[in-house]
Amino acid sequence: MERIPILKLGNVLLVTIQVDMHDELASALEEDLTQRIVAVGARGVLIDISALEIVDSFMGRMLDNIASVSRILDADTVVVGMRPAVAITLVELGLSLHGVKTALNVDKGLALIATSARHAWRGAGDEDDDGSD
Amino acid sequence: MERIPILKLGNVLLVTIQVDMHDELASALEEDLTQRIVAVGARGVLIDISALEIVDSFMGRMLDNIASVSRILDADTVVVGMRPAVAITLVELGLSLHGVKTALNVDKGLALIATSARHAWRGAGDEDDDGSD
């Protein structure tokens, strides 16, 4: 059975979606991701969808599911590489991916996860921001 | 036409092979990679093959080709995530991937690229190694 590989970049997990998702593959991915988040103590999950020319409601729900489960396990989910046409389709489908953060590419996604991890560490009430990386 | 996405991680390009490669897809990947190496000034190329259960001589040659072209463009190629059975098959096929570096996973591959970039920068004759990262 085929599985989508999950790559580990420090404390971030990276998944590249290249194939059409069907039920079985999607649930295998969600299960694998959940286990890896716990196993490596991941702070974030990056999902690259730059290979996808269309995203249907099934894929939209899958992204939402992954984000919800990750959040419960204290990991941020960032979807990266979304094509403009895909963004338009998602909104037209009424899927605005409220629980999912997005970034233009992997580098920006990693930066986003690093930033929110730092903020979480400092505590929600702490507004101090020295801007140094 | 489907294309394999190339992700940029700082000055390293990351490719995850998830599907069976055929002629056209392989040459598209080689062409895309070459252009991206030049466009972003990449120091290294990471190719993750953890999803592959078998590697044939076609795939072996493709990895060799990519490594050769990258080297000319001053980028290291590291193949990561190879399964034990795949390593055995490659040797049995007489493909020992001489021009290709390997690492167990993406993290180790990134470290390998960072190390060789640092050594290249210092010059080949410089043996000084402070070990600090």
Side-chain angles (χ1 to χ4, degrees), chain A residues 22-96:
Chain A
H22 47 80
D23 266 6
E24 219 176 313
L25 193 56
S27 38
L29 175 61
E30 289 176 29
E31 201 185 305
D32 290 351
L33 255 181
T34 315
Q35 288 178 353
R36 285 294 293 279
I37 290 172
V38 175
V40 311
R43 296 292 318 172
V45 175
L46 278 182
I47 304 179
D48 175 82
I49 59 169
S50 59
L52 299 183
E53 290 177 13
I54 44 168
V55 165
D56 55 8
S57 60
F58 177 73
M59 177 70 82
R61 269 199 311 278
M62 190 197 75
L63 295 175
D64 249 345
N65 275 356
I66 289 177
S68 303
V69 174
S70 304
R71 195 177 315 113
I72 295 176
L73 295 171
D74 195 23
D76 279 323
T77 302
V78 182
V79 172
V80 300
M82 191 184 294
R83 301 188 184 198
V86 167
I88 293 170
T89 312
L90 279 175
V91 172
E92 281 174 356
L93 287 171
L95 294 163
S96 356

Side-chain angles (χ1 to χ4, degrees), chain B residues 61-83:
Chain B
R61 269 200 311 279
M62 189 198 75
L63 294 175
D64 249 344
N65 275 356
I66 289 177
S68 303
V69 174
S70 304
R71 194 177 316 113
I72 295 176
L73 295 171
D74 195 24
D76 278 322
T77 301
V78 182
V79 172
V80 300
M82 191 184 293
R83 302 188 183 198

Side-chain angles (χ1 to χ4, degrees), chain B:
Chain B
M1 182 189 159
E2 59 175 2
R3 297 228 164 202
I4 295 183
I6 299 170
L7 308 183
K8 180 178 164 295
L9 297 171
N11 57 3
V12 173
L13 301 178
L14 172 64
V15 178
T16 316
I17 311 272
Q18 296 177 17
V19 292
D20 285 334
M21 301 298 288
H22 47 81
D23 267 7
E24 219 176 312
L25 192 56
S27 38
L29 175 61
E30 289 175 29
E31 200 185 306
D32 290 351
L33 256 180
T34 315
Q35 288 178 353
R36 286 295 293 277
I37 289 172
V38 174
V40 310
R43 297 293 317 174
V45 175
L46 279 181
I47 303 180
D48 176 82
I49 59 168
S50 58
L52 299 184
E53 291 177 12
I54 44 169
V55 165
D56 55 8
S57 60
F58 176 73
M59 177 71 81
R61 269 200 311 279
M62 189 198 75
L63 294 175
D64 249 344
N65 275 356
I66 289 177
S68 303
V69 174
S70 304
R71 194 177 316 113
I72 295 176
L73 295 171
D74 195 24
D76 278 322
T77 301
V78 182
V79 172
V80 300
M82 191 184 293
R83 302 188 183 198
V86 167
I88 293 170
T89 312
L90 279 175
V91 172
E92 281 174 356
L93 286 171
L95 293 163
S96 354
L97 298 184
H98 282 302
V100 183
K101 292 178 186 170
T102 50
L104 279 184
N105 53 43
V106 174
D107 279 342
K108 289 190 207 286
L110 285 172
L112 185 60
I113 289 172
T115 313
S116 44
R118 205 158 55 217
H119 284 185
W121 186 252
R122 284 179 178 178
D126 190 343
E127 289 166 15
D128 150 38
D129 186 0
D130 57 16
S132 67
D133 276 358

